């Protein structure tokens, strides 16, 4: 693919105290492309997602947005570029209702006074809100009273509401039902076809296989391979995730550590 | 609109959300054809749902208030006399305004322990400038308010930017600002305010006009109905579910009954106290800010979930600092009202139980200590409870010791309710 990537990461590092969560991570995502980010639990996927969305800025490394270096220090920086996200922990305000959550940070207001009717109308027009949960949440229901699936639906709707150029999805189907997950994948394909760049983090390799064009594997915070999804057998991706390609000794030591943790 | 108008009996549990009905909304507003007639069965069912779901709103505090009034009235017939009610109406304004500021900080799930000292300091600044140095009253007032705002901002900054717990920052403030007040007052000790001045007039002026008293009660109810009607019409024309008629009726009654009762009783003494009008204006104005503006929405969001708000792009630093600014400013306003009530500022200004009363008022009124839930009307209802107990005890000639114990028990009850309702909401969600 010759086009400039919407987002390119070079040498991204992130450290939490003694834990080196990301080391020299490279990644490219193009418009109209779904890139799956896969890796074992604790591999650093969410950390990388947060580095992109500004929720947890990277310590080192270069982030290029449409070919130009960009500085993402706060969530607002990423939003201004056109990046939206569904976080693994959803990041919804439980005490607010669905409409308030959908528009938080981007309220429709006139002279500082909220236009509730306009916001509610937009919310009611959101097709995925009705499609992605078994029982569509009431737009005026408080998030605290919603089921896990309904919350996930709200988080997804909030992310696509801003019509982002890059959509970062961290385990977006974790709480969805089987049928709803299927509809969600349809939605992802539609967004991709309309030119959105999508980064999909998932443990479900079936989902990855179904919609992703590329898969980037993270292992212990480092790149561990890039795959062209349609032409790569699933086993190969799995072995890259679990690291069976590592030599036996390092594998044994990490195994015992993981067992202890 | 005056007296005990609770405004929105439910917003205490669900605020941050515009008026749309509480947890039970799922049924009420799912479609344009939701029940919007005066469906009594539906009303009772929803009432039951709300109570079960921990959506008690202003119910507990209103009930305690009624119980307190009935008990004291039966023990002493002067308790609900026009004179005593009018005095309570003026006495609540100083601590009530301070409590109003505390509401903002509590909405963040934080605490401001400095409000008592800040109120005393502001009053001292005003008195020294105006009385000792002959500075024009308006300039002295503005200086006092700016001092309150600056102190609040400073404390907010230390809390937000440096990460010092608000509890500790404002505890230090409690001491430091009280010390500064003593320093500002200097050797003179007590400063008597200008009896002819505007500040003293604040709490000793009454407007004795039945037309005004009832007119205001009517205006309050009428405004609420007009706004609700306009809202319903706009929602309907947008094809959205309007709030059911019973919900509007419930609130209208909740406003009208206390408003007209207050107008009636105040009119039998000296009329409507100006200070009470100012206090109510602050409550209504800040209620609008909290529920209808972007700023208010972000206060609730930040108090509900700081990290989620930050990731949504809310400037949580500014939002949180500003709540402390509001708290400091309103503490200064309250301090001027308190000084006005006694027409002087002295070494004990802003001390004694003022701080506790202000925080307790907000909590008793239904503001959650966990953040993200509450209304400005809580300050009014809560301070009414506290002041009623104090006034009743004085009438009965009971020791302060008993008064403290009773108020303490009410506060404890409010905190337990807050915790239970938080718990029940969590359980509610999981089922
Ligand atoms: N805020 C934090 N403070 C300290 N350590 C953290 C923090 N966030 C993540 N980590 C650590 O960074 C590493 C990567 O975590 P991350 O959440 O990115 O993994 P992940 O790939 O998303 O895992 P999962 O599949 O379980 O979601 C882990 O070792 C984790 O403990
Ligand atoms: Mg993760």
């Amino acid at each position: 693919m010759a086009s400039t990537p919407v987002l390119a990461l070079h040498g991204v590092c992130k450290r939490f105290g003694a834990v080196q969560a990301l080391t020299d991570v490279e990644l490219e995502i193009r418009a109209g492309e779904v890139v799956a980010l896969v890796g074992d639990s604790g591999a650093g996927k969410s950390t990388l997602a947060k580095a992109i969305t500004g929720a947890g800025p990277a310590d080192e490394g270069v982030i290029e947005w449409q070919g130009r270096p960009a500085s993402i220090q706060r969530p607002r920086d990423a939003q201004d570029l056109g990046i939206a996200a569904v976080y693994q922990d959803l990041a919804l305000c439980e005490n607010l209702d669905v409409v308030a959550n959908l528009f938080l940070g981007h309220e429709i207001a006139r002279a500082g006074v909220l236009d509730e009717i306009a916001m509610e109308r937009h919310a009611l027009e959101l097709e995925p809100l009705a499609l992605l949960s078994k029982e569509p949440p009431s737009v005026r229901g408080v998030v605290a009273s919603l089921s896990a699936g309904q919350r996930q639906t709200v988080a997804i709707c909030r992310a696509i509401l801003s019509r982002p150029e890059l959509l970062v999805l961290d385990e977006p189907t974790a709480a969805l039902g089987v049928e709803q997950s299927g509809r969600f994948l349809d939605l992802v394909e539609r967004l991709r076809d309309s030119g959105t760049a999508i980064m999909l983090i998932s443990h479900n390799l079936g989902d990855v296989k179904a919609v992703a064009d590329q898969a980037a594997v993270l292992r212990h915070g480092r790149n561990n391979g890039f795959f062209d999804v349609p032409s790569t057998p699933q086993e190969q991706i799995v072995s890259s995730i679990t690291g069976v390609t590592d030599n036996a000794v390092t594998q044994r030591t990490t195994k015992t550590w993981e067992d202890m943790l | 609109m005056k007296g005990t108008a609770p405004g929105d009996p439910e917003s205490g549990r669900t605020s941050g959300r515009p008026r749309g009905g509480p947890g039970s909304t799922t049924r009420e507003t799912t479609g344009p054809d939701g029940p919007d007639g005066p469906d009594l069965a539906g009303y009772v069912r929803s009432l039951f749902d709300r109570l079960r779901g921990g959506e008690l709103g202003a119910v507990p505090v209103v009930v305690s208030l009624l119980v307190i009034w009935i008990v004291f009235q039966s023990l002493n017939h002067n308790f609900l006399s026009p004179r005593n009610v009018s005095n309570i109406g003026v006495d609540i304004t100083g601590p009530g305004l301070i409590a109003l500021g505390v509401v903002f900080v509590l909405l963040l799930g934080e605490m401001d322990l400095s409000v008592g000292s800040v109120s005393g300091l502001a009053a001292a600044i005003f008195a020294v400038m105006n009385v000792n140095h002959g500075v024009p009253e308006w300039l002295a007032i503005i200086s006092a308010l700016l001092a309150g705002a600056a102190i609040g901002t400073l404390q907010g900054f230390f809390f937000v930017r440096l990460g010092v717990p608000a509890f500790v920052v404002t505890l230090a403030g409690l001491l430091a600002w009280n010390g500064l007040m003593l320093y500002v007052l200097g050797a003179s000790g007590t400063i008597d305010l200008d009896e002819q001045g505007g500040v003293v007039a604040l709490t000793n002026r009454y407007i004795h006009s039945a037309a005004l008293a009832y007119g205001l009660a009517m205006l309050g109810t009428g405004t609420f109905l007009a706004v609700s009607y306009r809202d319903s019409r706009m929602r309907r024309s947008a094809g959205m579910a309007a709030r059911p008629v019973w919900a509007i009726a419930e609130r209208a009654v909740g406003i009208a009954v206390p408003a007209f009762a207050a107008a009636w009783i105040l009119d039998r003494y000296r009329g409507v106290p100006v200070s009470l009008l100012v206090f109510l204006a602050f409550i209504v104005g800040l209620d609008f800010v909290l529920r209808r503006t972007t700023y208010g929405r972000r206060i609730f969001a930040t108090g509900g979930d700081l990290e989620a708000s930050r990731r949504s792009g809310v400037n949580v630093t500014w939002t949180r600092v500003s709540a402390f600014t509001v708290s400091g400013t309103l503490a200064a306003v309250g301090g001027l009202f308190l000084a006005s009530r006694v027409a002087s500022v002295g070494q004990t200004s802003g001390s004694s139980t003022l701080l506790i009363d202000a925080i307790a008022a907000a909590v008793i009124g239904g503001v959650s200590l966990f953040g993200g839930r509450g209304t400005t009307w809580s300050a009014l209802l809560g301070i009414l409870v506290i002041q009623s107990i104090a006034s009743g005890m004085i009438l009965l000639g009971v020791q302060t010791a008993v008064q403290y114990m009773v108020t303490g028990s009410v506060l404890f009850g409010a905190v337990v309710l807050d915790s239970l309702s938080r718990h029940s909401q969590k359980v509610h969600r999981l089922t």
Side-chain angles (χ1 to χ4, degrees):
Chain A
M1 266 182 253
S3 66
T4 344
V6 171
L7 181 86
L9 307 179
H10 302 295
V12 167
C13 300
K14 176 84 182 177
R15 164 181 280 284
F16 296 108
V19 182
Q20 185 72 39
L22 296 175
T23 314
D24 290 331
V25 174
E26 307 279 321
L27 192 73
E28 289 187 352
I29 306 175
R30 290 179 167 75
E33 185 184 59
V34 178
V35 174
L37 184 67
V38 292
D40 233 337
S41 195
K45 305 182 297 294
S46 297
T47 306
L48 187 62
K50 288 179 192 162
I52 296 171
T53 64
D59 302 331
E60 280 170 55
V62 178
I63 298 180
E64 278 177 25
W65 181 255
Q66 290 171 340
R68 272 186 292 265
S71 163
I72 299 178
Q73 296 303 322
R74 300 169 307 156
R76 195 96 223 179
D77 296 339
Q79 288 167 1
D80 290 345
L81 291 175
I83 300 173
V86 175
Y87 292 99
Q88 192 166 16
D89 58 5
L90 305 185
L92 299 172
C93 288
E94 300 217 339
N95 61 327
L96 301 185
D97 68 10
V98 172
V99 175
N101 268 287
L102 288 174
F103 286 92
L104 185 60
H106 307 87
E107 297 85 355
I108 303 179
R110 239 176 289 130
V113 179
L114 298 168
D115 187 344
E116 292 290 352
I117 293 186
M119 289 194 277
E120 191 169 328
R121 193 165 41 214
H122 276 282
L124 290 170
E125 282 165 4
L126 275 173
E127 212 180 309
L129 201 56
L131 276 180
L132 294 183
S133 33
K134 284 208 181 74
E135 199 184 320
S138 149
V139 293
R140 285 299 175 192
V142 187
V143 166
S145 67
L146 302 186
S147 72
Q150 289 174 325
R151 288 163 190 234
Q152 188 117 46
T153 305
V154 173
I156 292 167
C157 288
R158 178 174 67 180
I160 57 180
L161 188 66
S162 61
R163 300 181 183 282
E165 288 185 57
L166 170 65
L167 188 54
V168 177
L169 303 165
D170 195 350
E171 300 285 356
T173 56
L176 297 186
V178 177
E179 194 187 335
Q180 288 73 23
S181 295
R183 290 187 196 152
F184 174 75
L185 295 180
D186 292 344
L187 175 68
V188 167
E189 285 184 334
R190 255 191 293 145
L191 288 168
R192 173 195 48 201
D193 294 343
S194 67
T196 312
I198 293 165
M199 175 169 139
L200 174 69
I201 298 174
S202 183
H203 275 125
N204 186 334
L205 287 182
D207 289 359
V208 171
K209 202 77 187 160
V211 293
D213 303 300
Q214 308 275 320
V217 178
L218 274 190
R219 186 165 157 73
H220 302 321
R222 292 173 186 273
N223 287 116
N224 201 35
F226 295 91
F227 301 94
D228 178 60
V229 174
S231 65
T232 312
Q234 191 158 318
E235 298 72 46
Q236 199 178 336
I237 301 180
V238 172
S239 66
S240 175
I241 292 171
T242 54
V244 287
T245 48
D246 285 7
N247 78 58
V249 180
T250 51
Q251 196 201 335
R252 275 181 65 96
T253 46
T254 47
K255 259 255 159 60
T256 41
W257 268 107
E258 275 166 4
D259 289 344
M260 284 169 71
L261 287 174
Chain B
M1 201 157 54
K2 47 185 138 55
T4 60
D8 184 344
E10 284 148 7
S11 59
R13 298 297 164 212
T14 54
S15 314
R17 235 156 29 74
R19 314 176 149 261
S24 52
T25 27
T26 333
R27 199 182 53 242
E28 292 155 25
T29 52
T30 31
D33 50 358
D36 50 291
D39 171 6
L40 201 64
Y43 173 65
V44 171
R45 205 169 342 113
S46 128
L47 197 67
F48 186 71
D49 278 358
R50 272 184 282 163
L51 294 180
R52 215 186 37 169
E55 310 273 346
L56 297 173
V59 172
V61 59
V62 169
V63 169
S64 1
L65 201 51
L66 291 177
V67 169
I68 289 165
W69 285 348
I70 290 167
V71 168
F72 280 122
Q73 177 65 12
S74 62
L75 293 174
N76 185 322
H77 290 299
N78 285 326
F79 182 71
L80 288 181
S81 66
R83 181 192 150 90
N84 198 47
V85 169
S86 179
N87 280 338
I88 292 177
V90 178
D91 283 335
I92 58 170
T93 56
L97 283 160
I98 300 175
L100 202 50
V102 171
V103 169
F104 276 72
V105 174
L106 284 180
L107 283 177
L108 295 181
E110 296 298 336
M111 188 61 88
D112 188 346
L113 296 177
S114 73
V115 286
S117 299
V118 172
S119 77
L121 175 60
I125 290 174
F126 168 78
V128 167
M129 286 180 77
N130 181 233
V131 179
N132 293 6
H133 297 287
V135 174
E137 198 171 34
W138 63 269
L139 190 57
I141 291 176
I142 289 178
S143 308
L145 299 188
L146 282 181
I151 288 170
T153 311
L154 185 74
Q155 294 181 149
F157 178 84
F158 276 110
F159 157 59
V160 175
R161 291 312 294 263
L162 303 184
V164 191
F167 173 81
V168 179
V169 176
T170 58
L171 184 62
L174 167 93
L175 253 178
W177 308 125
N178 190 48
L180 185 58
M181 178 194 81
L182 295 176
Y183 179 80
V184 167
L185 283 177
S188 58
T190 303
I191 301 176
D192 290 322
L193 300 184
D194 174 12
E195 289 287 347
Q196 309 305 320
V199 167
V200 170
L202 261 182
T203 55
N204 69 13
R205 283 285 160 77
Y206 296 77
I207 307 176
H208 206 168
S209 144
L212 179 92
Y214 290 107
L216 283 171
M218 213 124 60
L219 182 74
T221 317
T223 308
F224 170 74
L225 286 175
V227 169
S228 305
Y229 175 71
R230 189 175 140 260
D231 199 57
S232 289
R233 235 190 29 192
M234 279 167 62
R235 299 181 130 267
R236 240 173 273 250
S237 71
M240 292 184 301
R243 198 141 53 117
V245 168
W246 60 256
I248 297 176
E250 183 189 76
R251 286 177 174 82
V253 170
I255 294 172
V257 169
F260 280 96
W264 178 76
I265 201 153
L266 290 174
D267 189 52
R268 316 191 93 210
Y269 184 57
R270 295 174 61 186
V272 184
V274 169
S275 53
L276 188 57
L277 278 185
V278 176
F279 181 34
L280 288 172
F282 266 103
I283 292 174
V284 172
L286 292 177
D287 184 47
F288 181 84
V289 168
L290 282 182
R291 286 191 306 110
R292 299 271 182 157
T293 68
T294 308
Y295 171 70
R297 172 64 43 86
R298 291 174 178 191
I299 289 267
F300 278 105
T302 309
D305 193 324
L306 176 64
E307 179 60 15
S309 305
R310 190 180 74 84
R311 290 196 206 161
S312 301
V314 172
N315 186 340
V316 291
T317 303
W318 185 79
T319 305
R320 290 195 294 166
V321 170
S322 74
F324 283 86
T325 310
V326 171
S327 161
T329 312
L330 283 170
V333 178
L336 292 179
F337 274 67
L338 286 162
S340 161
R341 189 73 172 135
V342 292
S344 71
V345 178
Q347 312 260 349
T348 57
S349 292
S351 54
S352 88
T353 60
L354 180 59
L355 163 70
I356 301 180
D357 284 353
I359 293 175
V363 175
I364 290 172
V367 180
S368 173
L369 285 165
F370 303 104
R373 222 173 50 187
T375 129
T376 58
W377 293 97
S378 309
L380 174 66
L381 293 171
I383 199 65
L384 265 176
V385 167
I386 290 174
Q387 208 62 51
S388 298
I389 294 174
S391 164
M393 294 290 181
I394 290 169
L395 273 185
L396 296 178
V398 183
Q399 293 169 338
T400 341
V402 180
Q403 179 196 326
Y404 289 174
M405 286 191 275
V406 172
T407 313
S409 310
V410 175
L411 175 60
F412 182 71
V415 174
V416 168
L417 255 184
D418 180 24
S419 304
L420 287 180
S421 116
R422 182 178 156 89
H423 179 73
S424 103
Q425 280 191 343
K426 287 220 159 125
V427 173
H428 201 54
R429 194 186 76 213
L430 295 174
T431 52

